[in-house]
Amino acid sequence: MARVSVKAGPGVPMVRAATSLPVAVGIGRDGQVYQWGTVGPGSLWGAATQVTTTPQLATPAGFVWPSRPVEIAVAGPIATQATVLVLLEDGSLYAFGYGGQGLLGQGTTENSATPIKVKLPAGTVVREIAMNSGSHSATDGDASAMVLTSTGDVYAWGANRYGQLGIGTKTTALTPVRMSFPGGAKIAGIARGGTTGYAFSDAGTLYAWGLGVEGRLATGNTADSTTPVQAQRGQMPAGARVVAVAAGTNSGYLLASDGAVYGWGRAAHGRLGTGSLTDPSVPTRAAMPAGVTFTSLVAGPTFAFGATASGQVYAWGWNTAGNLCLPPADSVLVPTPIPQPAGVTYAAAGATGGYSSVLLSTDEDAYFCGQLPYPTGPSVSVLTQVVRPWA
């Protein structure tokens, strides 16, 4: 397929990126937030739907961030609309865009084109953010958000019909609610699945909550839970600890201290990288290439990427739109190295959405593959540079 660039003016490297149907967003080294894709009424851009492959400033003219943006997340639960979370350097959290299901964390369901501070308890310092959408529709995409604080606490809000907020109920939360973990465990990392949530503690223990069908909670069974439960170790060897966690729509992943990825839940299209289409209910080791270990991990709804210390990225899972940066195929069953531009290395950082992926290189360029804008954009199956925006 032909290469397609997301065109913008030269000058500003991208330091963070996120993507979800129907939009991609990024933070430039200039400290501004940008977006491209398909965005509709009342969300991000004014009153009319726009489709663009050119990154544009996401905030209204004259808006000034009170502190520098350092992390970004996005969920697109409603056709042509999306919600964006932006973590600032001072640990405060802002949200803008679609406000349904309480996604802006304000106690209402109103949209806002202007970033507004999420209503967390006074003094809260956020250090990690996560969003995901359980579905994508014209009316209710079932999205939720979660943050990890500097004290190891976790807060969640948004849609909750499957108990995916982990707060002990199935009631939508319009403002952040603090979660409770077994034994008062302090959390070191989080991931937001479509109908599940995951976290791991300072001790490297995995926790899960939400919908348990297909073994999505890694507990060895298919029971649901509205509060965090300790997952099983599965095939993790003795002494291995969880060092990162990621989530697909119906599956979960962890990176262990032995450098291997382990997955559980739905295995269709090879999304767990085990070489099997059988759904495991405990962490199951991916078919790691001989001699390869990963140092970072990122997952999309039905696919995932892992990167080595040398910057080589491997991909596996559903790839119909070329979203693995490999020639389109229904299934990539095991971690497979993706072709990379000469001299360019990556940490599997960036983000993956329903039909697209944005990966960040170690020199802070962004590369894209898949389909964006959705549903009218071309599919690109090779890593294609997002031309340095936006100055």
Side-chain angles (χ1 to χ4, degrees):
M1 295 186 180
R3 289 175 178 264
V4 177
S5 292
V6 177
K7 297 180 180 180
V12 183
M14 183 185 294
V15 297
R16 291 291 186 272
T19 180
S20 176
L21 288 176
V23 68
V25 291
I27 299 174
R29 189 184 284 168
D30 61 355
Q32 295 294 343
V33 173
Y34 299 88
Q35 62 198 0
W36 65 100
T38 304
V39 184
S43 178
L44 307 188
W45 285 321
T49 298
Q50 298 189 34
V51 178
T52 178
T53 57
T54 302
Q56 298 186 27
L57 192 66
T59 53
F63 176 82
V64 177
W65 294 101
S67 178
R68 189 178 185 86
V70 295
E71 193 57 84
I72 195 163
V74 61
I78 305 299
T80 75
Q81 300 201 35
T83 306
V84 180
L85 293 183
V86 181
L87 175 60
L88 304 188
E89 192 172 40
D90 65 2
S92 61
L93 184 68
Y94 282 72
F96 64 99
Y98 175 70
Q101 303 154 347
L103 288 173
L104 301 185
Q106 302 300 308
T108 73
T109 57
E110 296 179 0
N111 299 338
S112 178
T114 300
I116 46 182
K117 191 173 183 179
V118 175
K119 291 185 176 180
L120 288 156
T124 297
V125 176
V126 176
R127 74 180 196 197
E128 188 175 340
I129 59 179
M131 295 192 80
N132 206 349
S133 177
S135 60
H136 182 78
S137 70
T139 57
D140 182 5
D142 209 29
S144 54
M146 180 167 58
V147 299
L148 172 63
T149 75
S150 60
T151 58
D153 293 315
V154 178
Y155 290 81
W157 66 99
N160 193 32
R161 73 181 70 190
Y162 304 108
Q164 64 261 43
L165 297 187
I167 58 176
T169 74
K170 293 185 178 180
T171 302
T172 297
L174 302 183
T175 56
V177 178
R178 183 178 176 273
M179 297 172 56
S180 295
F181 286 83
K186 293 301 179 182
I187 300 305
I190 57 175
R192 177 87 265 157
T195 57
T196 56
Y198 305 106
F200 67 95
S201 70
D202 291 337
T205 301
L206 177 68
Y207 298 92
W209 57 94
L211 191 64
V213 65
E214 299 168 314
R216 297 178 196 177
L217 302 189
T219 55
N221 57 54
T222 58
D224 302 342
S225 180
T226 61
T227 58
V229 293
Q230 184 172 329
Q232 292 193 18
R233 292 183 57 85
Q235 295 182 356
M236 288 177 58
R241 303 169 63 253
V242 181
V243 297
V245 65
T249 299
N250 304 304
S251 53
Y253 308 83
L254 65 83
L255 176 63
S257 55
D258 65 350
V261 168
Y262 298 79
W264 59 92
R266 184 177 293 180
H269 304 290
R271 68 190 72 186
L272 300 184
T274 60
S276 169
L277 300 181
T278 300
D279 300 337
S281 59
V282 297
T284 301
R285 195 177 192 270
M288 301 290 295
V292 171
T293 57
F294 292 146
T295 56
S296 57
L297 169 71
V298 63
T302 57
F303 52 95
F305 295 90
T308 68
S310 65
Q312 173 65 54
V313 178
Y314 289 72
W316 60 96
W318 182 89
N319 188 42
T320 299
N323 42 282
L324 295 186
C325 311
L326 294 167
D330 181 72
S331 303
V332 177
L333 296 178
V334 299
T336 301
I338 67 174
Q340 297 176 198
V344 179
T345 60
Y346 300 83
T352 57
Y355 298 92
S356 60
S357 303
V358 178
L359 299 179
L360 297 179
S361 64
T362 51
D363 62 355
E364 297 182 341
D365 273 331
Y367 289 78
F368 166 81
C369 59
Q371 185 183 31
L372 193 78
Y374 173 85
T376 58
S379 292
V380 181
S381 61
V382 294
L383 274 171
T384 301
Q385 186 174 356
V386 178
V387 178
R388 280 192 170 185
W390 290 276

